[in-house]
């Protein structure tokens, strides 16, 4: 079986490639390295089951030949990270909407199974927990660029479901909740790699806002396993499914936890959102997934304890020094 992983040089994508190759699958990756890194997949180069194509998913001809040749697609290529999306709003919207449209159109042309990665951002600014797949979605105005990420991934979800309903395309959608682990970069705003690197350097750990906002972090290994189970699951076709962890933690607690695990001398500092992201920024104050649907579909939920994930990620960053 040959799986095309779009965005396979990214953080989640490269772990997915490792997992698929370890299970004996053939893997093709298309990635333009806009936010991914060749180093993430360099160890797979030379494996006869692996091929890497450095190109954008907006190249329709290239995508046509790759999707024609594969058996299934996992579409992960997207603009990622709040900081990246705010700094590159136009290209982010284009990649997320046009790129997914191309992937879906071609998957439909060749009748290939496709899984589309979405995000917990899609839920918007809820305060209740846990978030269920059929919850209403609450966004701010379009002048607040952050919402363009949620809205663009939501358009991807609508398009995928429309292909399923009107063309019977074999498509599934998964919403990832703050995936973390080794290889994640802090360059695009992600909090865990940023805090770990700050702690390892004894630099100030920068909590944005008052630090009372919460997240539920999910181990990348659990995410990859969930994706692979979903690929095999007939009942997941035409469905939207959360993939998220179980331990809700506030960002200030996270800073304390990382500081103590690293045994760092860092000071924890609080930075106003405006200083961190500029004007017109809105954060999401709470984000906790319901894993009921995932569990009922595949009988698996991400459960790696937060400390275990943080320890392995700290180990990874120590090895990079
Ligand atoms: N955050 C922070 N300091 C940082 C980076 C992020 O306090 O250096 C906060 C951010 O404002 C948010 C949370 O950490 O409340 C998670 O941010 P991230 O960008 O990792 O993910 P997302 O906002 O998409 O959940």
């Amino acid at each position: 079986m040959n799986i095309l992983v779009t965005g396979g040089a990214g953080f989640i994508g490269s772990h997915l490639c490792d997992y698929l190759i370890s299970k004996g699958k053939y893997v093709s990756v298309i990635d333009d390295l806009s936010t991914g890194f060749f180093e993430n997949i360099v160890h797979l180069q030379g494996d006869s089951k692996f091929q890497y194509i450095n190109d954008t998913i907006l190249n329709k001809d290239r995508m046509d030949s790759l999707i024609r040749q594969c058996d299934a697609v996992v579409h992960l290529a997207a603009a990622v990270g709040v900081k990246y999306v705010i700094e590159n709003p136009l290209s982010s919207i284009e990649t997320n909407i046009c790129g997914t449209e191309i992937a879906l159109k071609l998957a439909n042309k060749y009748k290939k199974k496709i899984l589309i990665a979405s995000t917990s951002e899609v839920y918007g600014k809820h305060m209740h927990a846990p978030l269920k797949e059929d919850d209403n979605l609450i966004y701010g105005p379009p002048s607040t660029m952050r919402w363009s990420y949620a809205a663009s991934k939501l358009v991807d979800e609508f398009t995928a479901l429309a292909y399923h309903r009107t063309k019977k395309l074999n498509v599934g959608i998964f919403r990832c909740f703050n995936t973390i682990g080794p290889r994640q970069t802090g360059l695009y705003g992600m909090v865990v790699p940023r805090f770990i690197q700050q702690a390892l350097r004894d630099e100030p750990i920068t909590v944005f806002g008052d630090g009372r906002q919460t997240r539920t972090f999910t181990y990348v290994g659990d995410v990859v396993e969930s994706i692979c189970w979903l690929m095999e699951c007939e009942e997941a076709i035409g469905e939207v499914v959360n993939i998220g962890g179980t331990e809700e933690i506030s960002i200030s607690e996270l800073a304390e936890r990382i500081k103590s695990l690293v045994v760092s001398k860092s000071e924890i500092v609080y930075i106003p959102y405006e200083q961190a992201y500029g004007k017109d920024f809105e954060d999401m104050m709470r984000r906790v997934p319901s894993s009921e649907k995932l569990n009922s579909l595949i009988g698996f939920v991400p459960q790696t304890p937060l400390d275990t994930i943080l320890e392995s990620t700290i180990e990874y960053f120590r090895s990079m020094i």
Side-chain angles (χ1 to χ4, degrees):
M1 187 158 189
N2 184 347
I3 317 273
L4 173 65
V5 181
T6 72
F11 161 53
I12 302 178
S14 64
H15 283 280
L16 179 63
C17 293
D18 288 345
Y19 188 88
L20 290 169
I21 296 268
S22 79
K23 299 282 174 203
K25 312 281 190 215
Y26 284 75
V27 174
S28 303
V29 161
I30 179 166
D31 198 306
D32 64 359
L33 304 183
S34 51
T35 54
F37 295 95
F38 182 66
E39 291 71 37
N40 288 344
I41 48 167
V42 71
H43 58 285
L44 295 173
Q45 291 289 101
D47 189 316
S48 57
K49 297 203 292 295
F50 181 78
Q51 70 159 334
Y52 164 61
I53 290 98
N54 183 340
D55 206 345
T56 164
I57 53 163
L58 299 175
N59 182 340
K60 287 183 197 151
D61 294 337
R62 179 80 84 178
M63 287 286 279
D64 190 295
S65 82
L66 286 170
I67 292 183
R68 180 166 42 80
Q69 287 166 42
C70 76
D71 299 302
V73 184
V74 182
H75 178 53
L76 289 164
V80 289
V82 172
K83 185 165 176 282
Y84 183 87
V85 170
I86 288 173
E87 286 169 4
N88 305 278
L90 194 55
S91 63
S92 297
I93 292 169
E94 191 181 27
T95 305
N96 289 358
I97 296 186
C98 305
T100 303
E101 168 63 20
I102 289 169
L104 284 166
K105 195 172 255 173
L106 293 167
N108 182 56
K109 177 175 174 188
Y110 295 111
K111 294 293 169 208
K112 300 290 168 72
K113 180 164 196 165
I114 180 165
L115 284 191
I116 303 283
S118 186
T119 164
S120 54
E121 281 271 325
V122 160
Y123 286 102
K125 28 184 186 175
H126 276 286
M127 282 307 289
H128 80 273
L131 295 167
K132 297 184 90 163
E133 290 83 350
D134 54 4
D135 278 348
N136 290 325
L137 312 174
I138 313 174
Y139 299 155
S143 53
T144 303
M145 270 302 154
R146 178 194 190 126
W147 303 116
S148 68
Y149 179 42
S152 67
K153 293 309 287 184
L154 183 63
V155 169
D156 289 353
E157 292 192 6
F158 275 125
T159 314
L161 292 176
Y163 266 102
H164 173 65
R165 290 201 190 152
T166 61
K167 313 274 186 193
K168 306 272 174 285
L169 180 64
N170 197 333
V171 57
I173 299 148
F174 56 91
R175 291 180 179 162
C176 292
F177 281 68
N178 293 79
T179 307
I180 57 168
R183 294 187 199 149
Q184 188 174 35
T185 170
L187 288 176
Y188 312 120
M190 279 72 164
V191 67
V192 167
R194 285 172 61 88
F195 281 6
I196 291 177
Q197 283 172 301
Q198 290 166 341
L200 285 171
R201 295 181 191 131
D202 289 327
E203 288 170 359
I205 298 178
T206 55
V207 173
F208 299 159
D210 64 10
R212 283 192 295 174
Q213 69 273 32
T214 72
R215 293 295 185 270
T216 311
F217 294 96
T218 318
Y219 178 51
V220 65
D222 290 339
V223 171
V224 159
E225 206 171 326
S226 304
I227 294 172
C228 291
W229 282 115
L230 285 172
M231 250 196 317
E232 311 277 312
C233 177
E234 289 296 310
E235 292 77 30
I237 295 168
E239 296 291 336
V240 178
V241 190
N242 289 338
I243 302 182
T246 47
E247 280 175 70
E248 180 180 17
I249 186 169
S250 74
I251 298 303
S252 56
E253 263 179 88
L254 177 74
E256 298 284 358
R257 188 87 69 94
I258 289 176
K259 179 178 164 164
S260 125
L261 287 171
V262 169
V263 193
S264 166
K265 296 195 196 72
S266 291
E267 181 194 354
I268 296 173
V269 296
Y270 289 80
I271 296 182
Y273 285 120
E274 184 165 346
Q275 201 177 317
Y277 291 116
K279 260 169 51 118
D280 293 330
F281 177 81
E282 249 186 299
D283 203 359
M284 293 182 190
M285 298 316 290
R286 191 171 190 204
R287 200 188 268 161
V288 183
S290 159
S291 296
E292 214 178 294
K293 189 167 179 182
L294 184 69
N295 197 18
S296 76
L297 286 170
I298 64 171
F300 173 84
V301 290
Q303 262 172 343
T304 305
L306 182 58
D307 277 359
T308 310
I309 317 171
L310 292 176
E311 274 159 10
S312 72
T313 313
I314 290 166
E315 216 31 65
Y316 166 78
F317 279 108
R318 272 197 214 280
S319 74
M320 304 290 282
I321 296 172

